[in-house]
Amino acid sequence: MSELFNEVDEELRRERLKRLWDKYSIVIVGGALLIVVGVGAWRGYEYYEAKKAAEAGAAFVAAADLAEQNKHTEAEAAFDKIAASAPAGYRTLARLRAAAEIGARDPQAAVKRYDEIAADRGLAAPFRELASIRAANLVLETASYNDLVQRLEPVASGNGAFRHTARELLALAAWRANNVAATRQWIDKITTDAETPGSLRSRADVLQALLPPTATKS
């Protein structure tokens, strides 16, 4: 008797499954197809992105080789092309390198390029800070101390990796402007930061020694 009940129960389950399949088979098959298509599309996207990254990397190396050969105009054009079409990481690096190549022929134009990068809020902070540093290096000999402050104080006052270089440039700019108090301020920031590199700290000590006695520590 128990076997008969089991057979009836099994038959009822098969009947329920059949009804469910008849009712939802299109949905089930469609869902399975969507999963297969989705996985295939994702794999295709990954392949496409990897291919683009490899092509961009090869183009970047070729552009860098042109720069090494002092073919600055050709290198500039090559980096600009990468910056216009490559994946995001290579685009940013290419923008920085293109600005460097421009600097070989037209420092003011290079400063403008660096300023555009520094102002691009879509980029990560280290890239923007590096652009500010490079622009400041190009104008260090000609710009006023106040101009350098506008460019570098946000970097120097932060916690980024380039804060040490920004402080050194500001200390040098203040010293060139005979602004002893400002020079002392930036030297203090350099020497009191435990993460200041040793070589930079040594240069700050040299600059400290050049200050008049009234500005030295007692």
Side-chain angles (χ1 to χ4, degrees), residues 153-208:
E153 190 169 31
V155 181
S157 301
N159 296 315
F162 294 105
R163 68 186 186 277
H164 312 294
T165 303
R167 291 167 183 171
E168 182 178 29
L169 289 173
L170 285 168
L172 287 171
W175 180 68
R176 288 173 58 84
N178 295 316
N179 189 333
V180 174
T183 306
R184 175 72 264 160
Q185 170 196 344
W186 294 114
I187 289 176
D188 284 345
K189 285 185 177 294
I190 292 169
T191 57
T192 57
D193 189 332
E195 296 182 353
T196 297
S199 58
L200 197 155
R201 193 183 297 274
S202 297
R203 292 195 297 273
D205 289 339
V206 171
L207 185 58
Q208 171 72 61

